[in-house]
Amino acid sequence: MSTTSPAPGLPSPDHSPRLREALIAAAFTADGLLDLLGAPAYAALARSETVPALRATRADGVLDTLVRLFLLQRPVAYERVRAALPLEECLADGWVVREGDDVRATVDVRPYGGPEGQDWFIVSDLGCAVGGAGGASGQGEEVVLGVGGASTTLAGITVRTPVASALDLGTGSGLQALHSSQHAIRVTATDLNPRALHFTRLTLALSGAPEADLREGSLFEPVGKDTYDLIVSNPPFVISPGARLTYRDGGMGGDDLCRSLVQQAGDRLNDGGYAQFLANWQHVEGEEWQERLRSWVPRGCDAWIVQREVQDVTQYAELWLRDSGDHRGDPAQYAARYDAWLDEFESRKTKAVGFGWITLRKSGSERPSIVVEEWPHPVEQPLGESVRAHFARQDYLRAHDDAALLAGHFTLAAEVVQEQVGLPGAEDPEHVVLRQNRGMRRATKVDTVGAGFAGVCDGSLSAGRILDAIAQLLDEDPVMLRDRTPQALRLLVGEGFLEPAAPVG
C-alpha cells in the first residue's frame, strides 16, 4: 500500500496499459530507437546532443512522431500524434497537453531494455533523462532525473537472486524498483521527494511491472523496523556546501549521508541479505581512506567496497557546478559558489573525493570479511553474479584454514588466460600474468609455482599434491613450498582465478 498521495500536475497511470501497447506497436523501444536513429545519433543522445536525432526524425512516421514528442520534447502536430497514440486518453491522463494545433509531452518517456529483453519505459521530468532535451539545470530543486550512468551501474552490480523482499531507497524515477520487481515478491520504494514516488508509479505502470509499496521520507525512516533481503540505493551522495538540489545533495555534511546509510543498513537486512549502494567519500588529510570506509561497515556484515574514481576537490566542484548549470549563469555567482565549495572542503581537511560501490552482506560472522580496494579499470557489466561469487569465495576462505586449503581441489576459472612478458628470444619470461576476460577483468602477477599450479588445476588433484609435484620438478623442499604457498593460493581463490571444486574421479 502506498503511503503517499498522487503528485499534482503529473500524469495518471490509469490508462497506461493502452499507452504501453501503442508505444510498443510503434517500435518505440530501445531496439527500435537504435534502428531508426542509427548508432551515431543514438550515441549523441546519451551526450544530450539532440541535433542528429532531430535530423533522423524528419519523416512523418509514427516512430518519428513519438521520438520527437517524448524524447526530444518538441511540439508535434495534433493529427500526427492522434495517429500514434490513444490521444484522448493521453490528454485526459495528462501525458500530453494540447497547444493550438500542436501537442506537447508533459514528461520524458525513455525506452529502456530490460535484462531479459523486456521493453520498459523510464518516466522522468522533461529534459532530465540521458538523451533528454536539456539536462537538469533550471528544473527546480525537486527535479526527478531519468536514466543515467550511475543508475545503470547500480542496476548492473546488483545481485539478482530471487528474494521475498527488496527495498529501493531514494527511488527517483524507479529504475532500481523496476529491476527488483523481476526477482522480488515484494518491492518497497522510498524517496524524500513525493514527485519521485509518483514518477516511480508511472515507470512501473508503463513498463507493465507490478506495483510497489511507495513510502515518503528520508533514508530508512519510512520503513521503520522492517527488514529486507535486498536493499539498493543510488542516494543523493554529492558532497556539497548546501542541499540546493534534492536529487543530488543529501542535506548532511560531508559524506555523513553515505556513512549513515551504510551503518544503518545492517539492522534492516535479513540474514544472507545484500545491501548495495553507490557512494562518495572524503579523502581526508592524515587519514587512510580505506580505514574511513572500514569504520562504516555495520557489525555482522561482510563488505566489498570498490573505489572506481578519485577527483581532487577542484575537479569535483567543477563537475557538480556544471551539473546544476551554474557555469551558464552569472560569472560572479558561479565564482562565489565555487569558492563556497572549496571553503567546505578546506574546513573538513578534504583533499579529494572518491566514488565507488559498497556492497554489504548480512553474514552474522564474528570474523567479517571486509575488502576495500581501488579498481579504476574497465569491468564487464552486469556484475551481479560476480558480486555474489565474491562473497561465496570469502565464505569458503573463512571456513578453511591453511591445512584444509591444501587438502582442497580447485579448477581454473573460465575465461582466465596466461600472459608471459619478457624480452624476445629470452629463455624464460620476466614475469607471468593471469588475466580474467570476464567480470572484474582482474590481472595478477604469479611466479613459476603459481603459473604451474594454475595450469594443472582441473579438480583431479588436491592443492597439496600439486605442490608436491611442482616441488619435485623444481627440486625444492616440498614442506617449505607447502608452508609458503597458502597465502598466494588464498589470493588466487579470493580474486576468482581459482574456484573450489569437488574432487574429479
Short mmCIF file of all heavy atoms in Angstrom, two decimals, residues 267-315:
data_model
loop_
_atom_site.label_atom_id
_atom_site.label_comp_id
_atom_site.label_asym_id
_atom_site.label_seq_id
_atom_site.Cartn_x
_atom_site.Cartn_y
_atom_site.Cartn_z
N ASP A 267 21.00 -3.28 10.29
CA ASP A 267 19.82 -3.64 11.08
C ASP A 267 18.59 -3.88 10.21
O ASP A 267 17.58 -4.40 10.71
CB ASP A 267 19.51 -2.54 12.09
CG ASP A 267 20.55 -2.45 13.20
OD1 ASP A 267 21.22 -3.47 13.45
OD2 ASP A 267 20.70 -1.36 13.79
N ARG A 268 18.64 -3.49 8.93
CA ARG A 268 17.48 -3.66 8.05
C ARG A 268 17.63 -4.85 7.12
O ARG A 268 16.76 -5.09 6.28
CB ARG A 268 17.28 -2.41 7.21
CG ARG A 268 16.38 -1.36 7.84
CD ARG A 268 17.03 -0.68 8.98
NE ARG A 268 16.21 0.39 9.55
CZ ARG A 268 16.69 1.33 10.36
NH1 ARG A 268 17.97 1.31 10.71
NH2 ARG A 268 15.89 2.25 10.85
N LEU A 269 18.74 -5.59 7.23
CA LEU A 269 18.96 -6.74 6.37
C LEU A 269 18.57 -8.04 7.06
O LEU A 269 18.90 -8.25 8.23
CB LEU A 269 20.43 -6.83 5.96
CG LEU A 269 20.92 -5.94 4.81
CD1 LEU A 269 22.41 -6.11 4.62
CD2 LEU A 269 20.16 -6.25 3.52
N ASN A 270 17.91 -8.91 6.34
CA ASN A 270 17.70 -10.27 6.81
C ASN A 270 19.00 -11.06 6.66
O ASN A 270 19.88 -10.68 5.88
CB ASN A 270 16.59 -10.95 6.00
CG ASN A 270 15.24 -10.31 6.22
OD1 ASN A 270 14.94 -9.84 7.32
ND2 ASN A 270 14.41 -10.27 5.18
N ASP A 271 19.13 -12.15 7.38
CA ASP A 271 20.33 -12.97 7.28
C ASP A 271 20.54 -13.41 5.84
O ASP A 271 19.62 -13.87 5.16
CB ASP A 271 20.20 -14.21 8.17
CG ASP A 271 20.26 -13.88 9.66
OD1 ASP A 271 20.71 -12.77 9.99
OD2 ASP A 271 19.85 -14.72 10.48
N GLY A 272 21.78 -13.22 5.38
CA GLY A 272 22.11 -13.56 4.00
C GLY A 272 21.75 -12.49 2.99
O GLY A 272 22.05 -12.63 1.80
N GLY A 273 21.11 -11.40 3.44
CA GLY A 273 20.68 -10.35 2.53
C GLY A 273 21.81 -9.44 2.11
O GLY A 273 22.85 -9.33 2.77
N TYR A 274 21.59 -8.74 1.00
CA TYR A 274 22.58 -7.81 0.44
C TYR A 274 22.06 -6.38 0.50
O TYR A 274 20.87 -6.13 0.29
CB TYR A 274 22.88 -8.14 -1.02
CG TYR A 274 23.63 -9.43 -1.24
CD1 TYR A 274 22.95 -10.63 -1.41
CD2 TYR A 274 25.02 -9.45 -1.29
CE1 TYR A 274 23.64 -11.82 -1.63
CE2 TYR A 274 25.72 -10.62 -1.52
CZ TYR A 274 25.03 -11.80 -1.68
OH TYR A 274 25.71 -12.98 -1.89
N ALA A 275 22.97 -5.45 0.75
CA ALA A 275 22.69 -4.02 0.60
C ALA A 275 23.75 -3.46 -0.34
O ALA A 275 24.94 -3.65 -0.12
CB ALA A 275 22.73 -3.30 1.94
N GLN A 276 23.31 -2.78 -1.40
CA GLN A 276 24.24 -2.31 -2.42
C GLN A 276 23.99 -0.84 -2.72
O GLN A 276 22.86 -0.44 -3.00
CB GLN A 276 24.10 -3.17 -3.68
CG GLN A 276 24.41 -4.65 -3.41
CD GLN A 276 24.48 -5.49 -4.65
OE1 GLN A 276 23.54 -6.22 -4.95
NE2 GLN A 276 25.59 -5.40 -5.37
N PHE A 277 25.07 -0.06 -2.65
CA PHE A 277 24.97 1.39 -2.77
C PHE A 277 26.02 1.93 -3.73
O PHE A 277 27.11 1.37 -3.87
CB PHE A 277 25.22 2.08 -1.42
CG PHE A 277 24.49 1.47 -0.27
CD1 PHE A 277 25.15 0.68 0.65
CD2 PHE A 277 23.14 1.70 -0.09
CE1 PHE A 277 24.49 0.12 1.73
CE2 PHE A 277 22.46 1.14 0.98
CZ PHE A 277 23.14 0.35 1.90
N LEU A 278 25.72 3.06 -4.34
CA LEU A 278 26.73 3.94 -4.90
C LEU A 278 27.00 5.02 -3.87
O LEU A 278 26.10 5.42 -3.13
CB LEU A 278 26.26 4.57 -6.20
CG LEU A 278 25.87 3.62 -7.34
CD1 LEU A 278 25.56 4.41 -8.60
CD2 LEU A 278 26.96 2.60 -7.61
N ALA A 279 28.24 5.51 -3.81
CA ALA A 279 28.56 6.47 -2.75
C ALA A 279 29.75 7.33 -3.13
O ALA A 279 30.57 6.97 -3.99
CB ALA A 279 28.84 5.74 -1.43
N ASN A 280 29.83 8.48 -2.50
CA ASN A 280 31.03 9.32 -2.46
C ASN A 280 31.60 9.27 -1.05
O ASN A 280 30.86 9.11 -0.08
CB ASN A 280 30.69 10.77 -2.80
CG ASN A 280 30.72 11.08 -4.29
OD1 ASN A 280 30.38 12.19 -4.68
ND2 ASN A 280 31.11 10.13 -5.12
N TRP A 281 32.93 9.43 -0.94
CA TRP A 281 33.55 9.52 0.38
C TRP A 281 34.74 10.46 0.31
O TRP A 281 35.37 10.64 -0.72
CB TRP A 281 33.99 8.15 0.88
CG TRP A 281 34.68 7.29 -0.14
CD1 TRP A 281 35.97 7.36 -0.56
CD2 TRP A 281 34.07 6.23 -0.89
NE1 TRP A 281 36.23 6.41 -1.52
CE2 TRP A 281 35.08 5.69 -1.73
CE3 TRP A 281 32.79 5.66 -0.91
CZ2 TRP A 281 34.85 4.63 -2.60
CZ3 TRP A 281 32.57 4.61 -1.79
CH2 TRP A 281 33.58 4.10 -2.61
N GLN A 282 35.00 11.08 1.44
CA GLN A 282 36.08 12.06 1.52
C GLN A 282 37.44 11.38 1.70
O GLN A 282 37.54 10.39 2.41
CB GLN A 282 35.84 13.00 2.71
CG GLN A 282 34.57 13.82 2.58
CD GLN A 282 34.25 14.58 3.87
OE1 GLN A 282 34.14 15.79 3.85
NE2 GLN A 282 34.12 13.86 4.97
N HIS A 283 38.44 11.94 1.07
CA HIS A 283 39.84 11.62 1.37
C HIS A 283 40.35 12.76 2.24
O HIS A 283 40.52 13.89 1.76
CB HIS A 283 40.66 11.52 0.09
CG HIS A 283 40.40 10.26 -0.71
ND1 HIS A 283 41.41 9.51 -1.26
CD2 HIS A 283 39.24 9.61 -1.03
CE1 HIS A 283 40.90 8.47 -1.89
NE2 HIS A 283 39.57 8.52 -1.77
N VAL A 284 40.56 12.45 3.50
CA VAL A 284 40.88 13.48 4.49
C VAL A 284 42.36 13.43 4.83
O VAL A 284 42.95 12.34 4.94
CB VAL A 284 40.02 13.26 5.76
CG1 VAL A 284 40.37 14.29 6.83
CG2 VAL A 284 38.53 13.34 5.41
N GLU A 285 42.96 14.60 4.99
CA GLU A 285 44.38 14.67 5.35
C GLU A 285 44.64 13.90 6.65
O GLU A 285 43.90 14.01 7.61
CB GLU A 285 44.80 16.13 5.54
CG GLU A 285 44.79 16.95 4.25
CD GLU A 285 45.17 18.41 4.51
OE1 GLU A 285 45.75 18.67 5.59
OE2 GLU A 285 44.88 19.26 3.65
N GLY A 286 45.71 13.10 6.62
CA GLY A 286 46.11 12.36 7.81
C GLY A 286 45.29 11.12 8.08
O GLY A 286 45.40 10.53 9.16
N GLU A 287 44.47 10.69 7.12
CA GLU A 287 43.60 9.53 7.32
C GLU A 287 43.63 8.67 6.07
O GLU A 287 43.55 9.17 4.95
CB GLU A 287 42.17 10.00 7.60
CG GLU A 287 41.14 8.89 7.74
CD GLU A 287 39.73 9.43 7.90
OE1 GLU A 287 39.14 9.89 6.90
OE2 GLU A 287 39.23 9.42 9.03
N GLU A 288 43.74 7.36 6.25
CA GLU A 288 43.66 6.43 5.13
C GLU A 288 42.19 6.27 4.73
O GLU A 288 41.35 5.94 5.56
CB GLU A 288 44.25 5.08 5.52
CG GLU A 288 45.75 5.10 5.79
CD GLU A 288 46.56 5.37 4.55
OE1 GLU A 288 46.08 5.03 3.43
OE2 GLU A 288 47.66 5.94 4.68
N TRP A 289 41.90 6.48 3.45
CA TRP A 289 40.50 6.39 3.02
C TRP A 289 39.94 4.99 3.22
O TRP A 289 38.75 4.83 3.51
CB TRP A 289 40.34 6.84 1.57
CG TRP A 289 40.98 5.96 0.54
CD1 TRP A 289 42.24 6.06 0.03
CD2 TRP A 289 40.38 4.83 -0.12
NE1 TRP A 289 42.46 5.07 -0.90
CE2 TRP A 289 41.34 4.30 -1.01
CE3 TRP A 289 39.13 4.23 -0.04
CZ2 TRP A 289 41.09 3.19 -1.82
CZ3 TRP A 289 38.88 3.12 -0.84
CH2 TRP A 289 39.85 2.60 -1.72
N GLN A 290 40.81 3.99 3.10
CA GLN A 290 40.33 2.62 3.31
C GLN A 290 39.84 2.41 4.74
O GLN A 290 38.81 1.76 4.96
CB GLN A 290 41.45 1.62 3.01
CG GLN A 290 41.90 1.60 1.54
CD GLN A 290 43.08 2.51 1.28
OE1 GLN A 290 43.29 3.50 2.00
NE2 GLN A 290 43.86 2.19 0.26
N GLU A 291 40.57 2.97 5.71
CA GLU A 291 40.16 2.81 7.10
C GLU A 291 38.89 3.60 7.39
O GLU A 291 38.06 3.18 8.20
CB GLU A 291 41.29 3.25 8.03
CG GLU A 291 42.50 2.34 7.97
CD GLU A 291 42.13 0.87 8.19
OE1 GLU A 291 41.41 0.58 9.18
OE2 GLU A 291 42.52 0.03 7.36
N ARG A 292 38.72 4.74 6.72
CA ARG A 292 37.48 5.51 6.88
C ARG A 292 36.29 4.65 6.50
O ARG A 292 35.27 4.59 7.21
CB ARG A 292 37.55 6.77 6.00
CG ARG A 292 36.33 7.68 6.13
CD ARG A 292 36.44 8.88 5.19
NE ARG A 292 35.43 9.88 5.50
CZ ARG A 292 35.53 10.81 6.42
NH1 ARG A 292 36.62 10.88 7.18
NH2 ARG A 292 34.56 11.68 6.63
N LEU A 293 36.41 3.95 5.38
CA LEU A 293 35.29 3.15 4.89
C LEU A 293 35.10 1.88 5.72
O LEU A 293 33.97 1.42 5.92
CB LEU A 293 35.50 2.80 3.42
CG LEU A 293 35.37 4.01 2.49
CD1 LEU A 293 35.78 3.67 1.08
CD2 LEU A 293 33.95 4.54 2.49
N ARG A 294 36.19 1.29 6.19
CA ARG A 294 36.05 0.13 7.07
C ARG A 294 35.23 0.46 8.31
O ARG A 294 34.45 -0.36 8.80
CB ARG A 294 37.43 -0.38 7.48
CG ARG A 294 38.17 -1.13 6.41
CD ARG A 294 39.56 -1.55 6.89
NE ARG A 294 40.27 -2.27 5.86
CZ ARG A 294 40.15 -3.57 5.62
NH1 ARG A 294 39.33 -4.30 6.38
NH2 ARG A 294 40.81 -4.15 4.65
N SER A 295 35.38 1.69 8.80
CA SER A 295 34.67 2.09 10.01
C SER A 295 33.17 2.23 9.76
O SER A 295 32.39 2.27 10.72
CB SER A 295 35.23 3.41 10.54
OG SER A 295 34.84 4.51 9.72
N TRP A 296 32.75 2.30 8.50
CA TRP A 296 31.33 2.42 8.19
C TRP A 296 30.60 1.08 8.26
O TRP A 296 29.38 1.04 8.42
CB TRP A 296 31.13 2.97 6.76
CG TRP A 296 31.55 4.39 6.56
CD1 TRP A 296 32.19 5.22 7.44
CD2 TRP A 296 31.36 5.16 5.37
NE1 TRP A 296 32.41 6.45 6.89
CE2 TRP A 296 31.91 6.44 5.61
CE3 TRP A 296 30.78 4.89 4.13
CZ2 TRP A 296 31.88 7.45 4.65
CZ3 TRP A 296 30.76 5.90 3.17
CH2 TRP A 296 31.31 7.16 3.44
N VAL A 297 31.32 -0.03 8.10
CA VAL A 297 30.68 -1.34 7.93
C VAL A 297 30.00 -1.76 9.24
O VAL A 297 30.65 -1.82 10.29
CB VAL A 297 31.71 -2.39 7.51
CG1 VAL A 297 31.05 -3.77 7.38
CG2 VAL A 297 32.37 -1.99 6.19
N PRO A 298 28.72 -2.06 9.20
CA PRO A 298 28.00 -2.41 10.43
C PRO A 298 28.38 -3.81 10.93
O PRO A 298 28.80 -4.67 10.15
CB PRO A 298 26.52 -2.36 10.02
CG PRO A 298 26.53 -2.56 8.55
CD PRO A 298 27.81 -1.99 8.04
N ARG A 299 28.22 -4.01 12.21
CA ARG A 299 28.53 -5.29 12.84
C ARG A 299 27.68 -6.41 12.23
O ARG A 299 26.50 -6.22 11.94
CB ARG A 299 28.26 -5.20 14.35
CG ARG A 299 28.67 -6.45 15.14
CD ARG A 299 28.41 -6.23 16.62
NE ARG A 299 28.79 -7.39 17.41
CZ ARG A 299 30.01 -7.64 17.84
NH1 ARG A 299 30.98 -6.76 17.58
NH2 ARG A 299 30.29 -8.72 18.55
N GLY A 300 28.29 -7.57 12.03
CA GLY A 300 27.57 -8.71 11.50
C GLY A 300 27.49 -8.74 9.98
O GLY A 300 26.81 -9.61 9.43
N CYS A 301 28.17 -7.81 9.31
CA CYS A 301 28.12 -7.75 7.85
C CYS A 301 29.50 -7.93 7.24
O CYS A 301 30.49 -7.36 7.73
CB CYS A 301 27.55 -6.41 7.37
SG CYS A 301 25.78 -6.21 7.65
N ASP A 302 29.56 -8.70 6.17
CA ASP A 302 30.73 -8.68 5.29
C ASP A 302 30.58 -7.49 4.36
O ASP A 302 29.46 -6.99 4.13
CB ASP A 302 30.80 -9.97 4.47
CG ASP A 302 31.00 -11.21 5.33
OD1 ASP A 302 31.57 -11.07 6.43
OD2 ASP A 302 30.58 -12.31 4.89
N ALA A 303 31.69 -7.05 3.77
CA ALA A 303 31.62 -5.89 2.89
C ALA A 303 32.64 -6.03 1.76
O ALA A 303 33.73 -6.57 1.95
CB ALA A 303 31.87 -4.60 3.66
N TRP A 304 32.24 -5.54 0.61
CA TRP A 304 33.16 -5.39 -0.54
C TRP A 304 32.98 -3.96 -1.04
O TRP A 304 31.91 -3.59 -1.51
CB TRP A 304 32.83 -6.40 -1.62
CG TRP A 304 33.79 -6.38 -2.78
CD1 TRP A 304 35.06 -5.86 -2.80
CD2 TRP A 304 33.55 -6.91 -4.09
NE1 TRP A 304 35.63 -6.05 -4.03
CE2 TRP A 304 34.73 -6.69 -4.84
CE3 TRP A 304 32.48 -7.56 -4.68
CZ2 TRP A 304 34.85 -7.09 -6.17
CZ3 TRP A 304 32.60 -7.96 -6.01
CH2 TRP A 304 33.76 -7.73 -6.74
N ILE A 305 34.02 -3.16 -0.89
CA ILE A 305 33.97 -1.74 -1.26
C ILE A 305 34.99 -1.51 -2.36
O ILE A 305 36.18 -1.82 -2.20
CB ILE A 305 34.26 -0.85 -0.04
CG1 ILE A 305 33.24 -1.13 1.07
CG2 ILE A 305 34.25 0.62 -0.43
CD1 ILE A 305 33.55 -0.43 2.39
N VAL A 306 34.54 -0.95 -3.47
CA VAL A 306 35.39 -0.74 -4.64
C VAL A 306 35.41 0.74 -4.98
O VAL A 306 34.36 1.32 -5.30
CB VAL A 306 34.90 -1.56 -5.85
CG1 VAL A 306 35.83 -1.36 -7.04
CG2 VAL A 306 34.78 -3.03 -5.49
N GLN A 307 36.58 1.35 -4.90
CA GLN A 307 36.72 2.76 -5.33
C GLN A 307 37.01 2.77 -6.82
O GLN A 307 38.02 2.25 -7.27
CB GLN A 307 37.85 3.44 -4.56
CG GLN A 307 38.04 4.90 -4.96
CD GLN A 307 38.94 5.65 -4.01
OE1 GLN A 307 38.50 6.20 -3.02
NE2 GLN A 307 40.24 5.66 -4.29
N ARG A 308 36.11 3.39 -7.57
CA ARG A 308 36.23 3.40 -9.03
C ARG A 308 36.89 4.66 -9.57
O ARG A 308 37.43 4.65 -10.67
CB ARG A 308 34.83 3.27 -9.64
CG ARG A 308 34.13 1.97 -9.35
CD ARG A 308 34.74 0.82 -10.14
NE ARG A 308 34.43 0.94 -11.56
CZ ARG A 308 35.14 0.37 -12.54
NH1 ARG A 308 36.23 -0.31 -12.25
NH2 ARG A 308 34.77 0.50 -13.81
N GLU A 309 36.83 5.74 -8.81
CA GLU A 309 37.34 7.01 -9.33
C GLU A 309 37.67 7.93 -8.17
O GLU A 309 37.04 7.86 -7.11
CB GLU A 309 36.27 7.67 -10.22
CG GLU A 309 36.70 8.94 -10.91
CD GLU A 309 35.59 9.53 -11.78
OE1 GLU A 309 34.50 8.94 -11.86
OE2 GLU A 309 35.83 10.61 -12.36
N VAL A 310 38.68 8.78 -8.35
CA VAL A 310 39.03 9.80 -7.37
C VAL A 310 39.19 11.13 -8.10
O VAL A 310 39.83 11.20 -9.16
CB VAL A 310 40.34 9.46 -6.63
CG1 VAL A 310 40.66 10.53 -5.59
CG2 VAL A 310 40.25 8.10 -5.96
N GLN A 311 38.61 12.19 -7.54
CA GLN A 311 38.78 13.53 -8.10
C GLN A 311 39.31 14.46 -7.02
O GLN A 311 38.88 14.37 -5.86
CB GLN A 311 37.44 14.07 -8.61
CG GLN A 311 36.91 13.36 -9.84
CD GLN A 311 35.63 14.00 -10.36
OE1 GLN A 311 34.75 14.34 -9.59
NE2 GLN A 311 35.55 14.19 -11.66
N ASP A 312 40.23 15.35 -7.42
CA ASP A 312 40.63 16.36 -6.45
C ASP A 312 39.47 17.33 -6.25
O ASP A 312 38.50 17.32 -7.01
CB ASP A 312 41.92 17.07 -6.88
CG ASP A 312 41.77 17.95 -8.12
OD1 ASP A 312 40.80 18.73 -8.20
OD2 ASP A 312 42.64 17.86 -9.02
N VAL A 313 39.55 18.15 -5.22
CA VAL A 313 38.38 18.95 -4.83
C VAL A 313 37.98 19.96 -5.90
O VAL A 313 36.80 20.30 -6.02
CB VAL A 313 38.63 19.64 -3.47
CG1 VAL A 313 38.71 18.61 -2.35
CG2 VAL A 313 39.89 20.51 -3.50
N THR A 314 38.95 20.45 -6.69
CA THR A 314 38.59 21.41 -7.74
C THR A 314 37.82 20.71 -8.87
O THR A 314 36.82 21.24 -9.36
CB THR A 314 39.84 22.10 -8.30
OG1 THR A 314 40.74 21.13 -8.84
CG2 THR A 314 40.56 22.89 -7.20
N GLN A 315 38.30 19.54 -9.27
CA GLN A 315 37.57 18.78 -10.30
C GLN A 315 36.16 18.45 -9.84
O GLN A 315 35.21 18.55 -10.62
CB GLN A 315 38.32 17.48 -10.62
CG GLN A 315 39.66 17.64 -11.30
CD GLN A 315 40.37 16.30 -11.42
OE1 GLN A 315 40.46 15.54 -10.46
NE2 GLN A 315 40.87 16.01 -12.59
#
